[in-house]
Amino acid sequence: MWLEQYLINTWRNTLVVVSHDRQFLNDIATDIIHLHGAKLTYYSGNYEAYLRARTERMKNQERLRQAQETQRKHIQKFIDRFRYNAN
């Protein structure tokens, strides 16, 4: 608790925190940077806001992937249907 209060009340610089305590991260964090595959993704808010935003982003990416796959299958079906027709 002492560290948490010290960081909230007096620390004004950038700080990198690694912790497994979700409540501590919720109380301290104002921005989160997620590193995955040599790419940084920035999220504003505490840890819970990060989890919600990341989950939503992953759902949107999955929907986009499914839509692209559906479109790819449709185009492939069209190509296969007219593949041998010279007209």
Side-chain angles (χ1 to χ4, degrees):
M1 290 178 76
W2 172 86
L3 177 60
E4 185 176 315
Q5 290 304 314
Y6 173 75
L7 294 174
I8 291 172
N9 295 327
T10 60
W11 196 268
R12 298 293 171 230
N13 299 319
T14 301
L15 178 67
V16 176
V17 176
V18 177
S19 175
H20 295 282
D21 185 357
R22 284 186 176 208
Q23 188 59 44
F24 179 73
L25 291 173
N26 279 330
D27 293 339
I28 297 300
T30 58
D31 295 286
I32 296 189
I33 301 172
H34 182 238
L35 172 64
H36 182 73
K39 180 181 176 193
L40 296 175
T41 307
Y42 296 88
Y43 298 91
S44 61
N46 63 9
Y47 187 72
E48 292 297 325
Y50 154 74
L51 288 178
R52 284 191 303 273
R54 183 163 181 253
T55 302
E56 187 63 31
R57 181 179 286 203
M58 291 173 67
K59 285 180 184 178
N60 288 339
Q61 287 177 345
E62 180 61 23
R63 280 188 219 120
L64 180 61
R65 187 196 65 77
Q66 288 177 353
Q68 288 174 343
E69 183 66 22
T70 302
Q71 183 179 10
R72 188 197 65 77
K73 286 180 181 179
H74 176 72
I75 292 170
Q76 185 63 46
K77 185 178 176 182
F78 180 80
I79 291 169
D80 290 343
R81 186 169 46 155
F82 294 107
R83 178 174 296 193
Y84 301 107
N85 188 354
N87 296 338

